Amino acid sequence: MRSVAVILLALTSVCHGYRMFADRIPNGEQVPHPCKPNYLWRGVGHFNVDGGGSRNPFGQDFDIGGRAWTRELCQKDSDGDGRTNGEELGDPNCVWRVGDIPTSSTGLSHPGVCEPIDSARCQQKQLHTGLFRTQQEWMTQSCKSAEFNCSAIHEAGVRQQPARLELTAVPAKETTYICKIFEFEDNANDYHLIATEPIINNSYILHHMVIFGCEDDVQTRSAYPCDMLPDRKCKTIISVWTLGLNGDCYNRNAGVRVGKNGLKKLAIQLHWNNPALIDSYVDSSGLLIHYTPHLRPYDASVLLLGNEHFSIPPRSNLTQVTSHCSASCTTRKIGHTINVFGLSTTCTTWGARCQWSSTGTTL
């Protein structure tokens, strides 16, 4: 087994998406996915099917209109497909108010997606966002199978360990970080952790989850409120899940060392969004860890780079932040050759629009 580590570079953080806004439009919880039968588009105003991140054309109009269902928004054709938003959401006469039963709950369509999506007009529709240039580019991504595609988890000998909360009450607070520190189930042998996939119990408040590696002497703990880190002895990021992801599958040549000569204690952190301050929610979400006794050529880890904190001036239309990591800096920090098999770049906003891009490489 070679000792050279494979490093995953990532800058991860938070972008908010609120499920409560679905209650402010007619049939907000019943909007169908344009290319997946019997599948709903939960984040109606977002490019991400589950919400969060940049807003699609309907979401932009909803935001401009004060995040309310107005006659103007109802009569508008946000996606440019020839049907008004009201017609697409079952309120053709624009009479619906919050708490009412919509005029119709059949024949619905997405007010932010130009349909039919395979028409020339809709495919070439331009989108004003840093994520996608055309609707065809957006739909190509959104119409992919939602199934977690990681062939390695089906290989002989691969085992699973759930890393999830016991059923826990969600505080009536807008933002809560909740953590749990637990022991890897077999510390007598060496394994490689090769994948994680979400176990989602309450999608109304769950925004993202992170698995951390901990030092051996950290104390195991049941669910407890925490900060950005579960503990000062749990700092090694292993895997991240957020809205729209089906799971995290490591490169075929690498895995995170766990067990006898690796991480023996792990922690999971969940971020709950509860902007409506509902006091009746509970959650037992988590991540399913896949690990194998058949060790891969490389041990993997995660390296965080970039600005951790910066300020966005009030009422500014655009704020640009640049960071630079020189070769002399990385030489001192790392000290040996690494193989990069993934790169993720994201940004953090609270109440502001956020644009980002991401690139990656594969061994």
Side-chain angles (χ1 to χ4, degrees):
M1 177 69 62
R2 288 193 266 175
S3 60
V4 179
V6 178
I7 307 293
L8 170 67
L9 287 89
L11 177 59
T12 60
S13 54
V14 179
C15 287
H16 288 264
Y18 299 144
R19 291 284 299 278
M20 69 175 183
F21 291 133
D23 294 333
R24 299 186 185 179
I25 60 175
N27 291 302
E29 291 285 357
Q30 303 298 323
V31 176
H33 197 294
C35 54
K36 294 180 180 178
N38 303 316
Y39 195 86
L40 298 178
W41 196 290
R42 297 293 190 183
V44 183
H46 296 269
F47 286 103
N48 186 332
V49 65
D50 291 312
S54 294
R55 300 180 180 95
N56 61 38
F58 174 74
Q60 293 169 13
D61 289 339
F62 180 71
D63 184 51
I64 292 171
R67 302 181 182 182
W69 184 249
T70 62
R71 176 169 287 274
E72 181 182 4
L73 179 62
C74 175
Q75 294 177 339
K76 192 166 187 177
D77 179 12
S78 294
D79 53 22
D81 61 4
R83 301 183 69 202
T84 67
N85 297 332
E87 289 173 330
E88 297 207 55
L89 291 175
D91 182 28
N93 300 317
C94 300
V95 296
W96 183 86
R97 297 293 181 268
V98 174
D100 290 349
I101 297 175
T103 301
S104 175
S105 296
T106 61
L108 306 177
S109 54
H110 196 309
V113 179
C114 179
E115 299 179 69
I117 60 174
D118 56 356
S119 66
R121 177 181 66 172
C122 290
Q123 286 186 336
Q124 299 308 313
K125 179 178 173 60
Q126 298 295 307
L127 299 173
H128 303 291
T129 173
L131 292 177
F132 307 103
R133 291 167 295 180
T134 65
Q135 178 170 292
Q136 182 181 24
E137 187 177 333
W138 173 26
M139 285 297 103
T140 297
Q141 177 68 30
S142 298
C143 294
K144 291 181 179 179
S145 172
E147 182 179 349
F148 181 42
N149 184 18
C150 184
S151 59
I153 66 176
H154 303 295
E155 294 175 355
V158 174
R159 307 176 188 180
Q160 291 78 33
Q161 178 178 352
R164 64 187 303 180
L165 300 181
E166 51 273 14
L167 195 63
T168 304
V170 177
K173 294 170 53 181
E174 180 171 350
T175 299
T176 299
Y177 286 91
I178 192 83
C179 294
K180 177 179 180 177
I181 301 176
F182 59 98
E183 192 161 356
F184 180 65
E185 60 188 9
D186 182 1
N187 286 320
N189 298 288
D190 270 338
Y191 299 93
H192 265 157
L193 186 154
I194 58 173
T196 63
E197 58 181 315
I199 306 169
I200 300 175
N201 173 253
N202 188 338
S203 62
Y204 284 92
I205 47 84
L206 186 62
H207 184 272
H208 75 261
M209 298 181 283
V210 184
I211 290 283
F212 292 84
C214 303
E215 296 176 18
D216 293 353
D217 60 345
V218 71
Q219 295 295 313
T220 59
R221 297 180 65 180
S222 298
Y224 64 96
C226 57
D227 295 315
M228 296 300 290
L229 288 176
D231 188 274
R232 61 183 179 84
K233 295 184 177 182
C234 300
K235 298 180 179 180
T236 303
I237 293 179
I238 293 175
S239 183
V240 177
W241 173 89
T242 191
L243 295 168
L245 298 182
N246 301 321
D248 186 10
C249 184
Y250 270 74
N251 184 277
R252 65 186 181 278
N253 291 319
V256 174
R257 184 75 69 111
V258 290
K260 183 177 181 180
N261 293 297
L263 296 168
K264 298 177 177 61
K265 302 279 184 65
L266 303 171
I268 185 166
Q269 175 209 72
L270 284 71
H271 174 201
W272 286 333
N273 261 347
N274 186 11
L277 308 182
I278 295 173
D279 61 5
S280 58
Y281 282 146
V282 293
D283 187 32
S284 61
S285 298
L287 290 167
L288 183 64
I289 295 171
H290 298 270
Y291 63 96
T292 179
H294 307 299
L295 299 182
R296 293 173 167 187
Y298 298 99
D299 287 332
S301 186
V302 174
L303 175 66
L304 296 178
L305 299 173
N307 291 338
E308 292 186 2
H309 303 284
F310 56 87
S311 297
I312 300 176
R315 295 178 292 278
S316 61
N317 293 325
L318 175 66
T319 299
Q320 294 182 329
V321 179
T322 302
S323 59
H324 178 70
C325 192
S326 67
S328 59
C329 174
T330 55
T331 298
R332 291 196 303 271
K333 176 69 175 179
I334 300 172
H336 55 77
T337 301
I338 64 174
N339 298 290
V340 179
F341 67 78
L343 170 65
S344 173
T345 61
T346 65
C347 62
T348 302
T349 66
W350 280 269
R353 294 183 182 180
C354 183
Q355 294 184 345
W356 67 90
S357 62
S358 62
T359 57
T361 59
T362 304
L363 286 176

